[in-house]
Amino acid sequence: MINFSLKDKVAVITGGAGIICSTVGREFAEMGVKVALLDMAEDKAKEIAEEINAAGGEAIGVKVNVLEKASIQEACNIVMKRFGRVDILINGAGGNKPAATTSSELSFFDLPEDALQWVLNLNLLGTIYPSQVFGKIMVNQDSGSIVNISSMAAFTPLTNTIAYSAAKAAISNFTQWLATHMNQNYSKKIRVNAIAPGFLLTQQNYYLLCKEDGSSTERGQKVLNKTPMGRYGEPIELVGGIIYLCSDAASFVNGIVLPIDGGFLAYSGV
């Protein structure tokens, strides 16, 4: 029988206070997963955890800086003390910023170093470092599932978002690399995959896709025109794919990047 159950698993979710990953945390908890929400916004992570607990789930909120391994290790110690194991790692921390995005006001040649480094580091190193710390726990357990967050920008780079596109392409590459590395060197029972969300309206891209009155920018309309389903996705629509990748139903699925995009990747525009 195909088994999608995640009951009694322990999941660590970085970026756990964000819109997408808090949704993943809540849905995991509904399935009986014990959830650790890791985020720089400690108060928000703890608030979401309290909501999950009040609804009958089991969750903790933990402060973490995914760019500092000492901070990640400290968070790992808290998780292990509370739950004793880590079955799932969702590397959800990431993002973009206007200062690392070309525009009519900011040319490629003038993009500031600190903004480019911030986006590259947050997305790529913010995926690698937690995988090192929590991946070691999985090796000791001889089991585990890691899910990274890639992007449509990893398949074909999006205009303007130079650092974000490059970082997400690197995450897809790292996903394949780590899946192979874990199996060849440590355990055949550890799987590493990624999802590649299509376009959702979030804080990081709203300014690119929507005008102040809520109507589409030129860029936003291009996105909708190239998405066969003709709409933006909702955070909840990413969760099914993540559940699948973390479950025994995907026991032979390793090193893939799963598009969840309303058909965006399938459509050439013609």
Side-chain angles (χ1 to χ4, degrees):
M1 180 178 178
I2 296 174
N3 184 12
F4 290 91
S5 174
L6 299 177
K7 184 175 173 56
D8 295 326
K9 299 288 188 182
V10 175
V12 171
I13 306 175
T14 70
I19 293 174
I20 291 174
C21 286
S22 64
T23 300
V24 175
R26 288 185 174 97
E27 293 299 315
F28 269 9
E30 288 282 342
M31 297 183 69
V33 178
K34 300 170 184 177
V35 178
L37 301 170
L38 276 54
D39 204 288
M40 279 287 286
E42 181 180 14
D43 290 346
K44 182 64 176 176
K46 288 185 174 181
E47 177 184 328
I48 296 167
E50 289 172 3
E51 292 172 5
I52 289 173
N53 292 330
E58 187 172 356
I60 57 173
V62 183
K63 183 175 183 178
V64 75
N65 181 345
V66 294
L67 295 180
E68 294 182 1
K69 285 188 68 175
S71 175
I72 301 167
Q73 186 61 60
E74 185 176 347
C76 181
N77 294 341
I78 293 170
V79 172
M80 291 298 290
K81 183 176 180 179
R82 173 66 181 270
F83 297 123
R85 60 183 297 111
V86 175
D87 301 295
I88 296 166
L89 170 64
I90 309 297
N91 280 312
N96 193 25
K97 62 165 54 179
T101 304
T102 63
S103 66
S104 57
E105 293 80 29
L106 185 62
S107 78
F108 163 71
F109 306 103
D110 298 318
L111 292 171
E113 293 177 39
D114 60 342
L116 292 171
Q117 289 173 351
W118 184 89
V119 174
L120 288 166
N121 289 346
L122 176 62
N123 289 279
L124 180 55
L125 296 182
T127 296
I128 293 175
Y129 291 164
S131 297
Q132 289 181 309
V133 173
F134 290 102
K136 185 178 291 187
I137 299 297
M138 294 179 178
V139 167
N140 291 336
Q141 295 170 173
D142 193 31
S143 66
S145 177
I146 298 173
V147 177
N148 300 324
I149 310 297
S150 184
S151 168
M152 288 296 102
F155 294 96
T156 304
L158 305 177
T159 58
N160 302 331
T161 58
I162 169 179
Y164 184 79
S165 294
K168 290 300 187 181
I171 286 173
S172 291
N173 184 280
F174 171 65
T175 298
Q176 294 175 312
W177 182 89
L178 187 60
T180 301
H181 185 74
M182 284 293 199
N183 283 178
Q184 290 185 338
N185 294 279
Y186 298 107
S187 173
K188 309 297 186 188
K189 298 178 182 178
I190 297 174
R191 297 181 298 105
V192 185
N193 295 290
I195 64 165
F199 286 82
L200 288 69
L201 284 179
T202 63
Q203 288 181 328
Q204 76 180 38
N205 67 14
Y206 190 88
Y207 73 99
L208 288 171
L209 303 179
C210 294
K211 299 176 182 177
E212 290 184 4
D213 63 4
S215 62
S216 291
T217 61
E218 181 181 358
R219 186 180 182 86
Q221 194 56 51
K222 286 181 179 179
V223 169
L224 293 174
N225 290 343
K226 195 179 179 304
T227 303
M229 294 184 74
R231 64 176 177 84
Y232 297 114
E234 299 289 340
I236 190 70
E237 294 178 298
L238 303 179
V239 181
I242 294 173
I243 290 170
Y244 163 67
L245 291 174
C246 293
S247 74
D248 288 344
S251 58
F252 199 54
V253 178
N254 197 26
I256 74 160
V257 180
L258 175 66
I260 307 176
D261 65 347
F264 183 93
L265 189 63
Y267 182 39
S268 69
V270 178

